[in-house]
């Protein structure tokens, strides 16, 4: 197949889902063209990495100040800020030109920020990778986030996002999500009064690059804990603060030598301030997370709210690092407590499970080995990409069957004038 993959950012090891789906599609013999927005110079290196995999990559520059202006202009409208953030006439123009220059079998559009670009990809089957149901994320955030700013933003955006995501089901030939919870949440947004068939919502779980995230023969540092994730994401900020301020004091009361490393890009001031404690390290961006996972005695992911699949949990398990986490972080996985990882709720119980691993090397080794086996069995990108090929085929068949009765996208001329 010739696949046009449209993304609102350049896929990379941080944007792990599109990065690996694209790489494995190319390895399986498909011709993949990527059109991506690019907001900083670092992303050019990520684009080059994909080109080395045999992928054709084009980028369109979108300064962050323009994205922020898009959001300001969308405030008085019904367009969600996530949808307005990546509005780009230049991106639309290049996408329209690509559609005229080449014949694609399917167009794959990534994330709510990029969903409106499907308006330009007329006449071709379209698959939308929602990744997560953002309506579900905002609903959980407004009820469960410990930060009032996150709750307020979620409350402001919830209604607009619910309406927007509902209409996306009308506009695409298939919609992808990473977990059953997200599938149910999106399907509940469907309007049963529609006269035409709405796109099926299909679970396509995340995988792990098992060659890249593999156990490394280095000694683990006793008493060392690690938490990883994009630190500009509000759910990760909430989890890091919970770990540092509520869980670690309980651990330190019994194991004063324990250390915590917070690894992830763009930590806000509230996270950087945690490094004033000599037992906490805040790294910021690192080019390779594997050494941190390989040396840690325990990977802790005390996610308090969220949606989808937590890659941080899968990557640690793939590295055979014992994991302690919450039900919220592993609800989308088929893991078993006390076999593949340890699951707990509440600061007291999380601290207790961390201490169990630190005190019992046999338990740590067992969890590490079984965690690795779980990921090998359930989250191989090769198998996930094969599933995506089947989804593409069904979307293509559905498109040519019902294309005359599907509603048309409308041209997006302003960020506040959403096609949905």
């Amino acid at each position: 197949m010739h696949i046009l993959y449209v993304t609102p950012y350049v896929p990379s090891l941080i944007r792990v889902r599109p990065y690996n789906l694209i790489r494995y599609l190319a390895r399986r013999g498909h011709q993949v063209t990527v059109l991506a927005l690019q907001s900083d110079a670092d992303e050019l290196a990520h684009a080059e990495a994909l080109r080395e995999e045999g992928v054709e990559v084009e980028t369109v520059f979108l300064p962050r100040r323009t994205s922020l202006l898009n959001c300001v202009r969308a405030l008085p409208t019904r367009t969600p800020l996530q949808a307005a953030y990546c509005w780009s006439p230049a991106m639309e123009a290049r996408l329209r030109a690509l559609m005229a220059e080449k014949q694609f079998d399917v167009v794959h559009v990534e994330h709510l920020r990029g969903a409106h670009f499907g308006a330009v990809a007329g006449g071709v089957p379209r698959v939308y990778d929602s990744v997560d149901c953002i309506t579900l994320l905002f609903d959980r955030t407004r009820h469960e986030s410990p930060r009032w700013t996150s709750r307020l933003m979620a409350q402001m955006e919830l209604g607009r996002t619910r309406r927007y995501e509902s209409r996306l089901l009308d506009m695409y030939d298939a919609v992808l999500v990473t977990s059953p919870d997200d599938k149910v949440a999106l399907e509940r947004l469907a309007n049963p009064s529609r006269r035409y068939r709405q796109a099926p919502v299909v679970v396509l779980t995340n995988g792990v690059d098992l060659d890249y995230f593999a156990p490394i023969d280095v000694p683990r540092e006793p008493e060392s804990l690690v938490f990883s994730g994009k630190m500009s994401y509000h759910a990760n900020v909430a989890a890091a603060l919970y770990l540092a301020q509520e869980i670690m004091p309980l651990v330190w009361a019994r194991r004063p030598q324990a250390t915590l490393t917070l690894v992830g890009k763009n930590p806000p001031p509230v996270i950087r301030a945690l490094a004033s404690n000599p037992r906490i390290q805040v790294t910021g961006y690192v080019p390779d997370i594997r050494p941190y996972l390989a040396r840690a005695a325990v990977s802790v992911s005390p996610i308090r709210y969220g949606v989808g699949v937590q890659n941080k949990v899968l990557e640690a398990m793939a590295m055979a690092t014992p994991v302690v986490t919450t039900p919220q972080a592993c609800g989308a996985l088929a893991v078993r407590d006390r076999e593949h990882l340890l699951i707990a709720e509440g600061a007291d119980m999380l601290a207790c499970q961390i201490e169990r691993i630190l005190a019992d090397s046999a338990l740590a080794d067992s969890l590490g080995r079984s965690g690795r086996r779980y990921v090998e069995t359930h989250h191989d990108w090769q198998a996930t990409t094969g599933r995506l090929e089947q989804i593409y085929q069904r979307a293509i068949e559905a498109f040519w069957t019902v294309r005359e009765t599907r509603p048309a996208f409308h041209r997006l001329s302003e960020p506040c004038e959403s096609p949905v």
Side-chain angles (χ1 to χ4, degrees):
M1 281 184 279
H2 191 179
I3 302 156
L4 176 58
Y5 214 109
V6 182
T7 65
Y9 32 66
V10 180
S12 67
L13 286 172
I14 296 175
R15 309 289 189 182
V16 61
R17 182 176 171 90
Y19 179 74
N20 281 293
L21 289 176
I22 290 165
R23 292 169 64 226
Y24 279 85
L25 284 167
R27 292 177 185 182
R28 292 170 70 92
H30 300 287
Q31 184 179 353
V32 185
T33 299
V34 174
L35 179 62
L37 285 172
Q38 170 237 331
S39 60
D40 61 50
D42 291 342
E43 290 182 293
L44 296 177
H46 303 324
E48 191 57 38
L50 283 176
R51 292 188 185 103
E52 291 174 1
E53 296 271 354
V55 176
E56 179 183 348
V57 183
E58 293 192 25
T59 63
V60 175
F61 184 58
L62 179 67
R64 284 197 172 90
R65 63 180 181 275
T66 301
S67 294
L68 294 176
L69 179 60
N70 286 342
C71 291
V72 171
R73 295 169 66 189
L75 280 173
T77 76
R78 294 194 295 174
T79 302
L81 301 188
Q82 285 276 346
Y85 188 86
C86 287
W87 181 74
S88 166
M91 181 75 161
E92 284 198 6
R94 185 57 197 141
L95 177 54
R96 190 175 290 106
L98 272 175
M99 296 294 297
E101 294 166 10
K102 301 180 180 182
Q103 186 166 352
F104 297 100
D105 296 299
V106 64
V107 176
H108 185 134
V109 179
E110 167 87 6
H111 202 270
L112 187 68
R113 290 187 177 185
H116 61 272
F117 291 124
V120 182
V124 177
R126 291 164 290 202
V127 172
Y128 168 53
D129 193 350
S130 178
V131 185
D132 307 319
C133 175
I134 307 302
T135 299
L136 178 62
L137 174 61
F138 284 151
D139 191 43
R140 289 178 173 175
T141 302
R142 68 173 178 150
H143 288 114
E144 300 171 33
S145 174
R147 307 185 74 196
W148 70 267
T149 52
S150 296
R151 295 195 302 271
L152 177 61
M153 180 60 71
Q155 183 64 48
M156 289 174 54
E157 286 291 283
L158 180 60
R160 298 195 288 190
T161 303
R162 180 184 288 119
R163 173 181 175 273
Y164 195 92
E165 287 194 308
S166 170
R167 295 298 307 277
L168 289 174
L169 299 177
D170 302 339
M171 302 299 180
Y172 283 90
D173 300 287
V175 175
L176 309 179
V177 290
T178 58
S179 80
D181 280 356
D182 293 272
K183 171 182 167 69
V184 170
L186 271 183
E187 289 177 335
R188 284 175 177 166
L189 299 179
N191 187 337
S193 67
R194 296 282 195 267
R195 291 178 291 119
Y196 38 78
R197 183 188 67 85
Q198 293 181 301
V201 181
V202 184
V203 175
L204 185 73
T205 191
N206 279 349
V208 178
D209 187 332
L210 295 171
D211 294 327
Y212 186 83
F213 288 101
I216 299 174
D217 188 17
V218 297
R220 295 195 182 271
E221 297 175 357
E223 311 288 306
S224 60
L225 284 65
V226 66
F227 172 79
S228 63
K230 185 181 177 185
M231 291 299 172
S232 58
Y233 177 46
H234 56 86
N236 285 338
V237 172
L241 292 174
Y242 181 42
L243 176 56
Q245 296 174 343
E246 299 186 42
I247 300 170
M248 289 308 299
L250 301 174
V251 175
W252 285 324
R254 296 184 58 178
R255 308 189 77 92
Q257 301 304 313
T259 63
L260 171 63
T261 302
L262 303 175
V263 184
K265 185 178 180 181
N266 296 331
V270 68
I271 296 297
R272 294 198 300 269
L274 297 173
S276 62
N277 185 325
R279 291 176 290 191
I280 298 178
Q281 178 188 9
V282 179
T283 68
Y285 169 78
V286 297
D288 189 347
I289 195 176
R290 293 174 298 174
Y292 296 90
L293 295 174
R295 292 194 297 263
V298 187
S299 173
V300 188
S301 295
I303 301 298
R304 306 181 75 171
Y305 65 93
V307 291
V309 170
Q310 299 294 325
N311 292 325
K312 58 177 70 66
V313 172
L314 294 178
E315 290 166 358
M317 293 171 70
M319 299 285 296
T321 301
V323 172
V324 173
T325 191
T326 56
Q328 295 90 332
C330 60
L333 307 180
V335 291
R336 289 189 289 273
D337 185 24
R338 292 172 291 181
E339 178 181 346
H340 302 119
L341 73 180
L342 298 183
I343 304 172
E345 287 191 275
D348 289 342
M349 289 306 300
L350 286 162
C352 180
Q353 299 292 47
I354 291 168
E355 291 173 36
R356 283 184 63 194
I357 294 175
L358 294 178
D360 188 340
S361 60
L363 173 62
D365 290 343
S366 174
L367 289 172
R369 289 193 302 270
S370 62
R372 171 70 187 187
R373 286 195 299 270
Y374 167 81
V375 175
E376 290 173 340
T377 302
H378 296 278
H379 295 277
D380 186 342
W381 277 119
Q382 186 74 252
T384 300
T385 308
R387 170 90 167 125
L388 179 59
E389 290 173 339
Q390 298 172 1
I391 294 168
Y392 284 161
Q393 290 290 355
R394 288 198 294 270
I396 291 169
E397 293 169 5
F399 173 81
W400 292 110
T401 300
V402 300
R403 61 194 175 98
E404 297 302 328
T405 61
R406 301 284 279 184
F409 278 105
H410 301 292
R411 181 180 182 276
L412 180 64
S413 58
E414 297 291 340
C416 59
E417 294 178 8
S418 165
V420 295

